[in-house]
Amino acid sequence: MKLDSKIPDGHISEKWYKHRFQLKLVNPANKRKYSAIVVGTGLAGASAAASLAELGYNVSAFCYQDSARRAHSIAAQGGINAAKNYQNDGDSVYRLFYDTVKGGDYRAREANVHRLAEVSGNIIDQCVAQGVPFAREYSGYLDNRSFGGAQVSRTFYARGQTGQQLLLGAYSSLSKQIGLGNVKMFTRHEMVELVVINGRARGIIARDMVSGKIERYVADAVLLCTGGYGNVYYLSTNAKGSNATAIWRAYRKGAAFGNPCYVQIHPTCIPVSGDHQSKLTLMSESLRNDGKVWVPKRGDDTRNPSDIPEADRDYFLERKYPSFGNLVPRDVASRNSKQVCDEGKGVGGSKLAVYLDFRDAISRLGKPKIEERYGNLFQMYEQITAEDPYKTPMRIYPAVHYTMGGLWVDYNLMSTIPGLFVLGEANFSDHGANRLGASALMQGLADGYFVIPYTLGGYFAEGGLDKVTTEHEAFQAAENEAKGRLDRLLSINGTKSVDYYHKALGKIMWDNVGMSRNAKGLEEAIKKIKEIREEFWQNVRVLGANEEINQSLEKAGRVADYMELGELVAKDALQRNESCGGHFREEYQTEENEARRDDENFSYVAAWEYKGDDAEPVMHKEPLQFEYVKPSQRSYK
Amino acid sequence: MKLTLKVWRQKDAKSKGDFKTYELSDVSPDMSFLEMIDILNEKLIDSKEDPIAFDHDCREGICGSCGLYVNGRAHGLKRGITVCQLHMRSFNDGETVWIEPWRAKPFPVLKDLIVDRSPLDRIMQAGGFISARTGSAPDAHAVLIDHDTAELAMDAAACIGCGACVAACKNASAMLFVSAKVSQFALLPQGHPERESRVLAMVAQMDKEGFGSCTNTGACEAECPKSISITNIARLNREYLKAVIK
């Protein structure tokens, strides 16, 4: 396998400009002769499907939910970054680029990140034009807030529902194209196999989740916009249905998997309340604009938080990182919260939580202002915990939230399988080892609105696509594979439910491949995952049949893939003998317990190639070059 | 806590459904309502019974997937939340809880508690958009929108498309859903060029899908998990009237 990142020559600020000119074009009249399959309808998928259909391509879009509007981008709360510099506070494309490369702990590709920063402003323009009701000042101008890892205010937001509003914007554009007949929409459909013909991605096998029918879809290109794999950990802030099956099936067909060990653990989530817990709820990072993180100085302090005087509180982020304070990046905040809890200073029943306190902000700004900024988040918190955050501080703890790793893509967002493009969280490209807050929405929409419309045209215009139909033997083979898997899952008829195995896998992942990792724990995890995977295939119980709505069968297919993907995450974490961003290896830390990166030996993207179920995957390296942002120890002090 | 659950079971769209009774003990007050159903499903799988099918995804009240009738109320008795945000501390030990799917003719039951809400998508496809081609937008500050108008638009835009308004309405009217989108775009200057064609197309599609008429009972507003106001319906009526008499 050869990794060619296809980064254009020239100065960083001219690469994308030049590349757009160099990409071949498809004549407007010829666009309707080309077709694309888009899997997933979140920000990346919906924006791509709508934009490609506007250009004239034939698009088929697929989502597992009952409506495209329900993709999990909808749950993103805090905001979207853009280098508009409307605040006159020193922002620029270059600064957004710089902050993102630094925030990613120097493990992202400079050229991709610069392009992301370049188009960030266009995204805001596009969304406003679609009727996204961003927050505004009384003057009528757009308002901004700050997010972690930045010292400028560049985050645009719509209350605590920014993801919802951006997704509904993309969904409405997609809806228009569906209404016009330019996009065929398949809801309640799950991709279960990728079809590769003559070395190119040419279609998918999908299961109709209502009838159970296994169907074949052919196209000239396939776009995976299916999000991340955080649900490998069982408990995460992902939706219950968010899954990795599409990218994992593609990996097994030859798409390299980039940096699987880069998993983001978000610092501010509502803590676990018991064994019944089915998912975790995020409390937006934007809360750290006004909320102060602290624990009591003494671990045995059982006083009501409001009775604990200033002198007995440890505002540990402000103390350790005076220049960024509560707005340090996520990896730093999470690790420090874990550390104070490990020292026995955690709060709440489980002692696995820290306070996020709005007392000072409420007295400074008044309750109505806080309500306007975060009303829905406070309400959400109260529903879950039965505590009123206007009166008592929130209790928060880190949880799995986002995966920076994903399928390896080149500058054109194409994977190592020609014709297979990967957008949004599903690819690995822009966030390095740690994603900054409010950058996921930016990347999803950048890929869908402003990158793929150009690069997909370039791929088509190069030619070389044979005429194929769903009668091709590769479709038959892929369909057989998918059916065989489903039949096998249904025929095991063991004693334990799918959730039982998913929880068991999640525990191994959280304990050994979570916020801090070490070689011994990772080796143990790899061994345990293998064992549990074998047991799963011997003993899982999936009731019912394929030819009906069967939610256990849907879950079983996804969990079977997590059992393989989890092992790859652990293997990648084991080879990376350094700490960077979300990947913290206990063996590699400074005396102050900060991450110790090793640029000499690990400044590369790890791209894993599948070699068969009985063979070890092979790791390829794409060296990272930093011509503009010189790697240094990341300091937020 | 111990609960008696009466749950609607229906094999598929063609079969006839019925309530089945399940006893559940060890329910923790900290569980969400859907986690309580998860626990019941694990027990059913244990005893080789088909688990209860229900739509759910984000489990934080924003995706709009979940929608259950709980004790005769859409999303349960508490106002302003979805059923995934409902917690078991809202119930009493020993209580009998009735769980049903949305009941509305345009939303046929597909299995157990899952219904087909695709009519709402088709209303959006008919006109629920501002036609802004990717790449054609002017600078975001080219048109100013005063704070209060933007806030009003946001209030309407908060709709999650769960269908509770339809299920709660005795006429199975989708007016609250349609009015939320029409209002959002009518309030914002970007929505003005297509203002009339939009409202006509969306209302026509709503009627075609078989939703009933609005008789201003306000049940939709009372049950809406996002507390969307029926003043939006008044605005929809004004927008519609203006478009028709023009």
Side-chain angles (χ1 to χ4, degrees), chain A residues 86 131 171 176 279 497 541, chain B residues 42 45 60 121 131 139 184:
Chain A
Y86 284 160
Y171 160 79
K176 175 175 173 164
K279 75 150 281 167
S497 72
R541 175 181 289 178
Chain B
E42 287 296 293
I45 293 169
E60 48 189 85
D121 278 336
S131 302
D139 186 87
Q184 178 195 344

Side-chain angles (χ1 to χ4, degrees), chain A residues 78-93 95-96 99 120 124 135 137 142-157 286 288-290 324 327 373-374 437-438 442, chain B residues 141:
Chain A
I80 176 166
N81 288 329
K84 282 285 198 185
N85 194 30
Y86 284 160
Q87 301 297 328
N88 197 30
D89 59 356
D91 201 8
S92 63
V93 166
R95 188 175 296 282
L96 175 54
D99 285 350
S120 65
I124 303 303
E137 297 167 356
L142 291 158
D143 193 17
N144 290 118
R145 53 169 59 142
S146 306
F147 256 64
Q151 287 177 314
V152 294
S153 287
R154 63 161 74 99
T155 305
F156 294 79
Y157 67 101
S286 62
R288 287 196 272 142
N289 269 286
D290 290 307
F324 280 71
L327 282 172
R373 284 186 188 166
Y374 315 111
M442 174 172 67
Chain B
H141 272 169

Side-chain angles (χ1 to χ4, degrees), chain A residues 30-212:
Chain A
N30 284 341
K31 288 203 175 82
R32 64 189 158 80
K33 294 180 188 158
Y34 290 99
S35 57
I37 283 170
V38 179
V39 186
T41 58
L43 287 177
S47 60
S51 303
L52 294 173
E54 284 169 6
L55 286 171
Y57 297 114
N58 288 300
V59 178
S60 302
F62 295 79
C63 69
Y64 70 79
Q65 299 90 343
D66 73 322
S67 165
R69 68 181 291 153
R70 309 210 195 281
H72 198 52
S73 304
I74 201 127
Q77 297 168 351
I80 176 166
N81 288 329
K84 282 285 198 185
N85 194 30
Y86 284 160
Q87 301 297 328
N88 197 30
D89 59 356
D91 201 8
S92 63
V93 166
Y94 199 83
R95 188 175 296 282
L96 175 54
F97 156 69
Y98 175 90
D99 285 350
T100 308
V101 171
K102 178 188 172 195
D105 218 353
Y106 308 97
R107 290 293 175 263
R109 247 191 228 145
E110 280 190 332
N112 286 54
V113 178
H114 198 277
R115 174 176 66 190
L116 178 66
E118 281 172 59
V119 302
S120 65
N122 302 104
I123 297 171
I124 303 303
D125 301 341
Q126 183 64 30
C127 295
V128 167
Q130 287 168 342
V132 169
F134 283 119
R136 287 179 186 264
E137 297 167 356
Y138 280 94
S139 56
Y141 290 97
L142 291 158
D143 193 17
N144 290 118
R145 53 169 59 142
S146 306
F147 256 64
Q151 287 177 314
V152 294
S153 287
R154 63 161 74 99
T155 305
F156 294 79
Y157 67 101
R159 292 190 192 151
Q161 291 139 272
T162 316
Q164 179 199 27
Q165 294 309 315
L166 297 180
L167 181 61
L168 292 181
Y171 160 79
S172 67
S173 293
L174 172 62
S175 293
K176 175 175 173 164
Q177 296 303 320
I178 297 169
L180 291 171
N182 299 332
V183 176
K184 275 202 203 93
M185 184 69 226
F186 298 88
T187 58
R188 295 197 196 269
H189 274 69
E190 182 156 20
M191 169 180 160
V192 286
E193 269 307 335
L194 178 73
V195 180
V196 180
I197 297 174
N198 297 335
R200 291 171 188 262
R202 294 307 300 269
I204 64 167
I205 304 293
R207 179 174 177 270
D208 177 331
M209 294 156 75
V210 177
S211 68

Side-chain angles (χ1 to χ4, degrees), chain A residues 293-304:
Chain A
V293 177
W294 64 278
V295 288
K297 279 189 178 157
R298 288 196 341 261
D300 57 353
D301 195 334
T302 52
R303 283 176 290 180
N304 195 313

Side-chain angles (χ1 to χ4, degrees), chain A residues 410-422:
Chain A
D410 64 15
Y411 190 69
N412 294 318
L413 303 181
M414 191 159 84
S415 70
T416 52
I417 302 175
L420 180 73
F421 293 80
V422 191

Side-chain angles (χ1 to χ4, degrees), chain A residues 101 103 155 223 257 293 319 380 389 414 459 482 488 536 556 591:
Chain A
V101 171
T155 305
L223 279 56
F257 206 115
V293 177
R319 172 171 58 81
M380 204 189 271
M414 191 159 84
Y459 172 72
R488 197 173 152 205
F536 172 87
E591 276 168 17

